[in-house]
């Protein structure tokens, strides 16, 4: 497997796609920060009519922590870029017949599957890491962390990275499941993106409707959405760590990640690659 990984990482280092999407991921937090600055500049035009300082108001919203919290969602921008990159990069193995050549060279399917998982996770972690660093560099330097002390800032960053890794593994394992199951780029890419984008809002809408119906029947409305699968990852707030919410998020993400990985392996193990 070491030889397979050496070849894959050499190809990844030379991949223009990887570096292009890596750069886009690194620059996205800068664009977000510039949009906020532009919005503050626009609102400041009317500042003489109000008693609120727009810069103080935006800093009080703790935008840096909010942007870091977003890394925990199942389809954050960095995860989206990672899924696109890994799907296109790894699908070429099937399109160019590289997989058959590797198996012909007496390499096992288990080695091949595990090596592709490592490459996909490496891509995802790289994109996640540069996104967090860029957020800290641009948004952190402009808006700061409001009233958080050093220990709380460190905890927020560590939590954002840890939950980002969990969400990234979820998305990447799903992408690999579709890729190894169908050996088709379009299926792996489209299904993963659609499911990660649509499923959270769909589940949230279903639960909301059920809660409204229950409230109409009983007169009591329970608005706790922290148990809604996938949607609850969007409720993460790294500036106010909620251990129960984190547990609920991982309760869905980790088993589903393991399930997707297992299904991907089972379908690939029995696949006819001729």
């Amino acid at each position: 497997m070491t030889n397979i990984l050496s070849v894959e990482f050499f190809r990844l280092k030379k991949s223009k796609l990887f570096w292009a999407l890596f750069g886009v991921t690194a620059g996205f937090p800068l664009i977000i920060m510039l949009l906020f600055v532009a919005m503050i500049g626009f609102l400041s035009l009317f500042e003489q009519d109000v008693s609120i300082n727009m810069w103080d108001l935006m800093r009080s919203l703790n935008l840096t922590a909010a942007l870091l919290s977003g890394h925990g969602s199942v389809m954050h921008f960095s995860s989206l870029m990672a899924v696109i990159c890994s799907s296109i990069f790894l699908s070429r193995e099937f399109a160019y017949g590289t997989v058959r050549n590797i198996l012909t060279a007496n390499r096992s399917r288990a080695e091949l599957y595990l090596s592709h998982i490592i490459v996909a996770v490496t891509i995802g972690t790289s994109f996640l890491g540069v996104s967090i660093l860029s957020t800290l560099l641009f948004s952190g330097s402009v808006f700061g962390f409001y009233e958080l002390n050093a220990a709380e800032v460190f905890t927020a960053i560590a939590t954002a990275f840890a939950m980002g890794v969990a969400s990234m593994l979820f998305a990447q394992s799903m992408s690999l499941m579709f890729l190894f199951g169908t050996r088709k780029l379009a299926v792996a890419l489209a299904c993963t993106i659609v499911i990660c984008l649509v499923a959270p809002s769909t589940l949230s809408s279903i639960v909301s409707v059920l809660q409204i119906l229950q409230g109409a029947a009983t007169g009591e409305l329970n608005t706790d959405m922290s148990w809604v699968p996938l949607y609850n990852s969007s409720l993460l707030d790294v500036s106010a760590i909620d251990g129960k919410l984190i547990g609920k998020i991982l309760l869905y993400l980790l088993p589903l990640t393991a399930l997707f990985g297992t299904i991907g392996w089972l379908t690939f193990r029995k696949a006819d690659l001729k």
Side-chain angles (χ1 to χ4, degrees):
M1 190 176 71
T2 303
N3 293 334
I4 299 176
L5 287 174
S6 298
V7 173
E8 293 296 335
F9 283 124
F10 177 79
R11 289 181 56 241
L12 186 63
K13 184 174 66 173
K14 297 294 184 179
S15 173
K16 294 180 180 179
L17 172 70
F18 171 79
W19 291 112
L21 294 181
F22 186 85
V24 171
T25 304
F28 187 72
L30 172 61
I31 296 175
I32 295 298
M33 187 272 293
L34 292 176
L35 288 175
F36 277 120
V37 171
M39 182 178 65
I40 293 173
F42 176 76
L43 294 176
S44 296
L45 297 175
F46 306 95
E47 193 172 302
Q48 63 272 17
D49 299 329
V50 296
S51 59
I52 301 176
N53 184 284
M54 292 303 169
W55 280 100
D56 292 339
L57 175 62
M58 298 303 285
R59 290 192 179 97
S60 68
L61 296 176
N62 208 347
L63 291 175
T64 304
L67 293 174
L68 288 175
S69 301
H71 290 84
S73 62
V74 293
M75 190 46 74
H76 182 262
F77 184 80
S78 60
S79 294
L80 174 62
M81 293 295 101
V83 165
I84 293 174
C85 181
S86 59
S87 296
I88 296 176
F89 180 79
L90 296 177
S91 66
R92 293 172 179 172
E93 302 283 332
F94 295 98
Y96 298 156
T98 307
V99 170
R100 289 193 297 271
N101 295 336
I102 293 175
L103 296 178
T104 304
N106 295 324
R107 299 296 180 182
S108 68
R109 295 196 181 201
E111 288 180 304
L112 185 60
Y113 186 68
L114 183 57
S115 65
H116 280 63
I117 291 177
I118 293 175
V119 172
V121 171
T122 300
I123 293 174
T125 305
S126 300
F127 282 36
L128 172 65
V130 75
S131 179
I132 290 179
L133 288 175
S134 185
T135 299
L136 293 174
L137 175 62
F138 298 120
S139 180
S141 61
V142 174
F143 299 110
F145 283 88
Y146 193 44
E147 296 180 345
L148 299 183
N149 57 42
E152 291 171 333
V153 169
F154 177 81
T155 301
I157 297 172
T159 302
F161 181 78
M163 298 305 293
V165 168
S167 297
M168 177 272 296
L169 291 175
F170 170 82
Q172 291 289 55
S173 65
M174 184 189 300
S175 175
L176 288 175
M177 176 186 69
F178 287 120
L179 178 61
F180 279 89
T182 64
R183 279 84 65 193
K184 296 183 182 298
L185 170 62
V187 176
L189 198 55
C191 289
T192 302
I193 294 176
V194 169
I195 291 175
C196 289
L197 290 178
V198 175
S201 57
T202 300
L203 291 172
S204 173
S205 299
I206 293 174
V207 172
S208 297
V209 171
L210 293 177
Q211 288 178 340
I212 291 174
L213 294 176
Q214 181 185 16
T218 62
E220 297 180 359
L221 183 61
N222 180 15
T223 59
D224 183 13
M225 304 292 284
S226 62
W227 284 103
V228 181
L230 306 184
Y231 172 80
N232 56 7
S233 62
S234 65
L235 303 177
L236 179 68
D237 182 4
V238 297
S239 65
I241 304 299
D242 185 346
K244 293 182 179 180
L245 175 61
I246 292 176
K248 294 172 184 177
I249 295 172
L250 297 178
L251 181 65
Y252 298 117
L253 291 185
L254 297 184
L256 287 174
T257 299
L259 176 63
F260 295 151
T262 302
I263 294 175
W265 161 243
L266 292 177
T267 55
F268 179 61
R269 185 179 64 177
K270 301 177 180 179
D272 183 5
L273 302 176
K274 295 181 181 180

